[in-house]
PDB file of all heavy atoms in Angstrom:
ATOM      1  N   THR A   1     -47.250  44.478  38.815  1.00 41.00           N
ATOM      2  CA  THR A   1     -47.589  43.986  40.150  1.00 41.00           C
ATOM      3  C   THR A   1     -46.745  44.690  41.200  1.00 41.00           C
ATOM      4  O   THR A   1     -45.571  44.929  41.009  1.00 41.00           O
ATOM      5  CB  THR A   1     -47.322  42.469  40.273  1.00 41.00           C
ATOM      6  OG1 THR A   1     -46.304  42.097  39.377  1.00 41.00           O
ATOM      7  CG2 THR A   1     -48.544  41.666  40.078  1.00 41.00           C
ATOM      8  N   THR A   2     -47.384  44.995  42.306  1.00 43.00           N
ATOM      9  CA  THR A   2     -46.678  45.615  43.419  1.00 43.00           C
ATOM     10  C   THR A   2     -46.347  44.538  44.436  1.00 43.00           C
ATOM     11  O   THR A   2     -47.222  43.789  44.852  1.00 43.00           O
ATOM     12  CB  THR A   2     -47.571  46.681  44.089  1.00 43.00           C
ATOM     13  OG1 THR A   2     -48.028  47.558  43.083  1.00 43.00           O
ATOM     14  CG2 THR A   2     -46.806  47.447  45.128  1.00 43.00           C
ATOM     15  N   ILE A   3     -45.099  44.459  44.791  1.00 47.00           N
ATOM     16  CA  ILE A   3     -44.678  43.489  45.798  1.00 47.00           C
ATOM     17  C   ILE A   3     -44.686  44.209  47.140  1.00 47.00           C
ATOM     18  O   ILE A   3     -43.975  45.198  47.331  1.00 47.00           O
ATOM     19  CB  ILE A   3     -43.272  42.938  45.496  1.00 47.00           C
ATOM     20  CG1 ILE A   3     -43.279  42.229  44.134  1.00 47.00           C
ATOM     21  CG2 ILE A   3     -42.798  42.021  46.586  1.00 47.00           C
ATOM     22  CD1 ILE A   3     -41.915  41.823  43.654  1.00 47.00           C
ATOM     23  N   SER A   4     -45.526  43.704  48.052  1.00 69.00           N
ATOM     24  CA  SER A   4     -45.561  44.336  49.371  1.00 69.00           C
ATOM     25  C   SER A   4     -44.409  43.799  50.203  1.00 69.00           C
ATOM     26  O   SER A   4     -44.054  42.632  50.131  1.00 69.00           O
ATOM     27  CB  SER A   4     -46.892  44.069  50.064  1.00 69.00           C
ATOM     28  OG  SER A   4     -47.023  42.694  50.307  1.00 69.00           O
ATOM     29  N   LYS A   5     -43.844  44.677  50.982  1.00 85.00           N
ATOM     30  CA  LYS A   5     -42.715  44.288  51.816  1.00 85.00           C
ATOM     31  C   LYS A   5     -43.230  43.730  53.132  1.00 85.00           C
ATOM     32  O   LYS A   5     -44.256  44.147  53.637  1.00 85.00           O
ATOM     33  CB  LYS A   5     -41.809  45.489  52.045  1.00 85.00           C
ATOM     34  CG  LYS A   5     -41.143  45.944  50.753  1.00 85.00           C
ATOM     35  CD  LYS A   5     -40.078  46.957  51.039  1.00 85.00           C
ATOM     36  CE  LYS A   5     -39.365  47.294  49.748  1.00 85.00           C
ATOM     37  NZ  LYS A   5     -38.164  48.051  49.991  1.00 85.00           N
ATOM     38  N   ALA A   6     -42.482  42.802  53.668  1.00 91.00           N
ATOM     39  CA  ALA A   6     -42.884  42.093  54.881  1.00 91.00           C
ATOM     40  C   ALA A   6     -42.752  42.953  56.127  1.00 91.00           C
ATOM     41  O   ALA A   6     -41.991  43.909  56.184  1.00 91.00           O
ATOM     42  CB  ALA A   6     -42.026  40.838  55.048  1.00 91.00           C
ATOM     43  N   VAL A   7     -43.521  42.564  57.124  1.00 95.00           N
ATOM     44  CA  VAL A   7     -43.370  43.108  58.471  1.00 95.00           C
ATOM     45  C   VAL A   7     -42.497  42.105  59.222  1.00 95.00           C
ATOM     46  O   VAL A   7     -42.801  40.918  59.273  1.00 95.00           O
ATOM     47  CB  VAL A   7     -44.733  43.269  59.181  1.00 95.00           C
ATOM     48  CG1 VAL A   7     -44.531  43.677  60.630  1.00 95.00           C
ATOM     49  CG2 VAL A   7     -45.604  44.270  58.446  1.00 95.00           C
ATOM     50  N   ALA A   8     -41.384  42.594  59.754  1.00 96.00           N
ATOM     51  CA  ALA A   8     -40.476  41.747  60.516  1.00 96.00           C
ATOM     52  C   ALA A   8     -40.588  42.125  61.986  1.00 96.00           C
ATOM     53  O   ALA A   8     -40.610  43.302  62.334  1.00 96.00           O
ATOM     54  CB  ALA A   8     -39.040  41.946  60.036  1.00 96.00           C
ATOM     55  N   CYS A   9     -40.685  41.109  62.842  1.00 97.00           N
ATOM     56  CA  CYS A   9     -40.769  41.335  64.275  1.00 97.00           C
ATOM     57  C   CYS A   9     -39.532  40.745  64.926  1.00 97.00           C
ATOM     58  O   CYS A   9     -39.219  39.571  64.709  1.00 97.00           O
ATOM     59  CB  CYS A   9     -42.027  40.700  64.848  1.00 97.00           C
ATOM     60  SG  CYS A   9     -43.528  41.404  64.139  1.00 97.00           S
ATOM     61  N   TYR A  10     -38.836  41.564  65.698  1.00 96.00           N
ATOM     62  CA  TYR A  10     -37.622  41.103  66.359  1.00 96.00           C
ATOM     63  C   TYR A  10     -37.852  41.028  67.864  1.00 96.00           C
ATOM     64  O   TYR A  10     -38.327  41.975  68.488  1.00 96.00           O
ATOM     65  CB  TYR A  10     -36.443  42.045  66.073  1.00 96.00           C
ATOM     66  CG  TYR A  10     -35.182  41.579  66.751  1.00 96.00           C
ATOM     67  CD1 TYR A  10     -34.496  40.465  66.280  1.00 96.00           C
ATOM     68  CD2 TYR A  10     -34.701  42.212  67.879  1.00 96.00           C
ATOM     69  CE1 TYR A  10     -33.356  40.005  66.914  1.00 96.00           C
ATOM     70  CE2 TYR A  10     -33.560  41.766  68.526  1.00 96.00           C
ATOM     71  CZ  TYR A  10     -32.892  40.661  68.031  1.00 96.00           C
ATOM     72  OH  TYR A  10     -31.766  40.194  68.673  1.00 96.00           O
ATOM     73  N   VAL A  11     -37.500  39.869  68.429  1.00 95.00           N
ATOM     74  CA  VAL A  11     -37.645  39.614  69.860  1.00 95.00           C
ATOM     75  C   VAL A  11     -36.289  39.117  70.366  1.00 95.00           C
ATOM     76  O   VAL A  11     -35.640  38.291  69.722  1.00 95.00           O
ATOM     77  CB  VAL A  11     -38.727  38.537  70.112  1.00 95.00           C
ATOM     78  CG1 VAL A  11     -38.788  38.152  71.577  1.00 95.00           C
ATOM     79  CG2 VAL A  11     -40.078  39.010  69.611  1.00 95.00           C
ATOM     80  N   ARG A  12     -35.882  39.650  71.532  1.00 93.00           N
ATOM     81  CA  ARG A  12     -34.636  39.186  72.145  1.00 93.00           C
ATOM     82  C   ARG A  12     -34.835  39.049  73.644  1.00 93.00           C
ATOM     83  O   ARG A  12     -35.392  39.936  74.289  1.00 93.00           O
ATOM     84  CB  ARG A  12     -33.496  40.184  71.895  1.00 93.00           C
ATOM     85  CG  ARG A  12     -32.173  39.758  72.537  1.00 93.00           C
ATOM     86  CD  ARG A  12     -31.081  40.805  72.374  1.00 93.00           C
ATOM     87  NE  ARG A  12     -31.378  42.072  73.024  1.00 93.00           N
ATOM     88  CZ  ARG A  12     -31.249  42.304  74.330  1.00 93.00           C
ATOM     89  NH1 ARG A  12     -30.853  41.345  75.150  1.00 93.00           N
ATOM     90  NH2 ARG A  12     -31.542  43.494  74.843  1.00 93.00           N
ATOM     91  N   VAL A  13     -34.405  37.905  74.182  1.00 92.00           N
ATOM     92  CA  VAL A  13     -34.338  37.723  75.629  1.00 92.00           C
ATOM     93  C   VAL A  13     -32.883  37.422  75.974  1.00 92.00           C
ATOM     94  O   VAL A  13     -32.186  36.747  75.225  1.00 92.00           O
ATOM     95  CB  VAL A  13     -35.291  36.618  76.154  1.00 92.00           C
ATOM     96  CG1 VAL A  13     -36.738  37.054  76.036  1.00 92.00           C
ATOM     97  CG2 VAL A  13     -35.074  35.301  75.446  1.00 92.00           C
ATOM     98  N   SER A  14     -32.433  37.941  77.096  1.00 87.00           N
ATOM     99  CA  SER A  14     -31.017  37.888  77.448  1.00 87.00           C
ATOM    100  C   SER A  14     -30.535  36.528  77.916  1.00 87.00           C
ATOM    101  O   SER A  14     -29.371  36.202  77.749  1.00 87.00           O
ATOM    102  CB  SER A  14     -30.710  38.923  78.530  1.00 87.00           C
ATOM    103  OG  SER A  14     -31.053  40.205  78.065  1.00 87.00           O
ATOM    104  N   THR A  15     -31.407  35.740  78.524  1.00 84.00           N
ATOM    105  CA  THR A  15     -30.981  34.431  79.010  1.00 84.00           C
ATOM    106  C   THR A  15     -31.855  33.338  78.406  1.00 84.00           C
ATOM    107  O   THR A  15     -33.009  33.582  78.040  1.00 84.00           O
ATOM    108  CB  THR A  15     -31.064  34.336  80.549  1.00 84.00           C
ATOM    109  OG1 THR A  15     -32.433  34.440  80.944  1.00 84.00           O
ATOM    110  CG2 THR A  15     -30.242  35.426  81.217  1.00 84.00           C
ATOM    111  N   VAL A  16     -31.289  32.150  78.322  1.00 81.00           N
ATOM    112  CA  VAL A  16     -32.019  31.021  77.751  1.00 81.00           C
ATOM    113  C   VAL A  16     -33.245  30.693  78.585  1.00 81.00           C
ATOM    114  O   VAL A  16     -34.268  30.269  78.080  1.00 81.00           O
ATOM    115  CB  VAL A  16     -31.087  29.789  77.622  1.00 81.00           C
ATOM    116  CG1 VAL A  16     -31.829  28.583  77.100  1.00 81.00           C
ATOM    117  CG2 VAL A  16     -29.904  30.110  76.707  1.00 81.00           C
ATOM    118  N   GLY A  17     -33.169  30.938  79.900  1.00 81.00           N
ATOM    119  CA  GLY A  17     -34.278  30.644  80.802  1.00 81.00           C
ATOM    120  C   GLY A  17     -35.456  31.593  80.664  1.00 81.00           C
ATOM    121  O   GLY A  17     -36.550  31.297  81.129  1.00 81.00           O
ATOM    122  N   GLN A  18     -35.237  32.744  80.053  1.00 85.00           N
ATOM    123  CA  GLN A  18     -36.332  33.700  79.892  1.00 85.00           C
ATOM    124  C   GLN A  18     -37.246  33.256  78.759  1.00 85.00           C
ATOM    125  O   GLN A  18     -36.841  32.554  77.839  1.00 85.00           O
ATOM    126  CB  GLN A  18     -35.787  35.101  79.587  1.00 85.00           C
ATOM    127  CG  GLN A  18     -35.116  35.743  80.781  1.00 85.00           C
ATOM    128  CD  GLN A  18     -34.529  37.097  80.405  1.00 85.00           C
ATOM    129  OE1 GLN A  18     -33.913  37.260  79.374  1.00 85.00           O
ATOM    130  NE2 GLN A  18     -34.723  38.065  81.290  1.00 85.00           N
ATOM    131  N   ASN A  19     -38.484  33.714  78.848  1.00 88.00           N
ATOM    132  CA  ASN A  19     -39.485  33.354  77.852  1.00 88.00           C
ATOM    133  C   ASN A  19     -39.834  34.583  77.036  1.00 88.00           C
ATOM    134  O   ASN A  19     -40.119  35.643  77.604  1.00 88.00           O
ATOM    135  CB  ASN A  19     -40.720  32.807  78.585  1.00 88.00           C
ATOM    136  CG  ASN A  19     -41.725  32.210  77.654  1.00 88.00           C
ATOM    137  OD1 ASN A  19     -41.807  32.559  76.476  1.00 88.00           O
ATOM    138  ND2 ASN A  19     -42.516  31.297  78.175  1.00 88.00           N
ATOM    139  N   GLU A  20     -39.843  34.427  75.729  1.00 90.00           N
ATOM    140  CA  GLU A  20     -40.147  35.562  74.854  1.00 90.00           C
ATOM    141  C   GLU A  20     -41.646  35.745  74.620  1.00 90.00           C
ATOM    142  O   GLU A  20     -42.061  36.648  73.893  1.00 90.00           O
ATOM    143  CB  GLU A  20     -39.417  35.420  73.515  1.00 90.00           C
ATOM    144  CG  GLU A  20     -39.985  34.385  72.575  1.00 90.00           C
ATOM    145  CD  GLU A  20     -39.466  32.970  72.771  1.00 90.00           C
ATOM    146  OE1 GLU A  20     -38.705  32.712  73.719  1.00 90.00           O
ATOM    147  OE2 GLU A  20     -39.832  32.121  71.963  1.00 90.00           O
ATOM    148  N   ALA A  21     -42.471  34.910  75.242  1.00 92.00           N
ATOM    149  CA  ALA A  21     -43.919  34.930  74.998  1.00 92.00           C
ATOM    150  C   ALA A  21     -44.553  36.288  75.308  1.00 92.00           C
ATOM    151  O   ALA A  21     -45.447  36.729  74.581  1.00 92.00           O
ATOM    152  CB  ALA A  21     -44.616  33.831  75.803  1.00 92.00           C
ATOM    153  N   GLY A  22     -44.110  36.956  76.360  1.00 92.00           N
ATOM    154  CA  GLY A  22     -44.678  38.258  76.707  1.00 92.00           C
ATOM    155  C   GLY A  22     -44.428  39.298  75.628  1.00 92.00           C
ATOM    156  O   GLY A  22     -45.334  40.044  75.235  1.00 92.00           O
ATOM    157  N   GLN A  23     -43.190  39.348  75.136  1.00 94.00           N
ATOM    158  CA  GLN A  23     -42.868  40.286  74.051  1.00 94.00           C
ATOM    159  C   GLN A  23     -43.681  39.950  72.801  1.00 94.00           C
ATOM    160  O   GLN A  23     -44.254  40.830  72.158  1.00 94.00           O
ATOM    161  CB  GLN A  23     -41.377  40.218  73.706  1.00 94.00           C
ATOM    162  CG  GLN A  23     -40.472  40.777  74.772  1.00 94.00           C
ATOM    163  CD  GLN A  23     -39.013  40.708  74.376  1.00 94.00           C
ATOM    164  OE1 GLN A  23     -38.646  41.021  73.254  1.00 94.00           O
ATOM    165  NE2 GLN A  23     -38.173  40.286  75.313  1.00 94.00           N
ATOM    166  N   ARG A  24     -43.722  38.659  72.474  1.00 94.00           N
ATOM    167  CA  ARG A  24     -44.441  38.227  71.276  1.00 94.00           C
ATOM    168  C   ARG A  24     -45.927  38.592  71.365  1.00 94.00           C
ATOM    169  O   ARG A  24     -46.523  39.078  70.411  1.00 94.00           O
ATOM    170  CB  ARG A  24     -44.269  36.723  71.075  1.00 94.00           C
ATOM    171  CG  ARG A  24     -44.853  36.217  69.769  1.00 94.00           C
ATOM    172  CD  ARG A  24     -44.682  34.714  69.635  1.00 94.00           C
ATOM    173  NE  ARG A  24     -43.354  34.323  69.276  1.00 94.00           N
ATOM    174  CZ  ARG A  24     -42.991  34.024  68.030  1.00 94.00           C
ATOM    175  NH1 ARG A  24     -43.857  34.105  67.054  1.00 94.00           N
ATOM    176  NH2 ARG A  24     -41.759  33.654  67.772  1.00 94.00           N
ATOM    177  N   ALA A  25     -46.532  38.382  72.541  1.00 95.00           N
ATOM    178  CA  ALA A  25     -47.956  38.681  72.725  1.00 95.00           C
ATOM    179  C   ALA A  25     -48.244  40.165  72.518  1.00 95.00           C
ATOM    180  O   ALA A  25     -49.232  40.534  71.869  1.00 95.00           O
ATOM    181  CB  ALA A  25     -48.417  38.231  74.109  1.00 95.00           C
ATOM    182  N   GLU A  26     -47.382  41.025  73.083  1.00 94.00           N
ATOM    183  CA  GLU A  26     -47.569  42.470  72.919  1.00 94.00           C
ATOM    184  C   GLU A  26     -47.424  42.890  71.464  1.00 94.00           C
ATOM    185  O   GLU A  26     -48.186  43.720  70.959  1.00 94.00           O
ATOM    186  CB  GLU A  26     -46.571  43.249  73.786  1.00 94.00           C
ATOM    187  CG  GLU A  26     -46.879  43.193  75.256  1.00 94.00           C
ATOM    188  CD  GLU A  26     -48.190  43.880  75.616  1.00 94.00           C
ATOM    189  OE1 GLU A  26     -48.481  44.967  75.088  1.00 94.00           O
ATOM    190  OE2 GLU A  26     -48.928  43.307  76.431  1.00 94.00           O
TER     191      GLU A  26
END
């Protein structure tokens, strides 16, 4: 069996008030 490796997505926003939704959507 071949184990496929995961796709990892990293998102960072600098302040707690910022929303990561734009990065996530793209």
Side-chain angles (χ1 to χ4, degrees):
T1 27
T2 307
I3 299 172
S4 64
K5 294 190 175 192
V7 173
C9 298
Y10 180 73
V11 174
R12 179 184 63 79
V13 290
S14 302
T15 65
V16 177
Q18 289 177 316
N19 189 334
E20 74 273 5
Q23 290 181 44
R24 186 181 283 261
E26 288 295 318

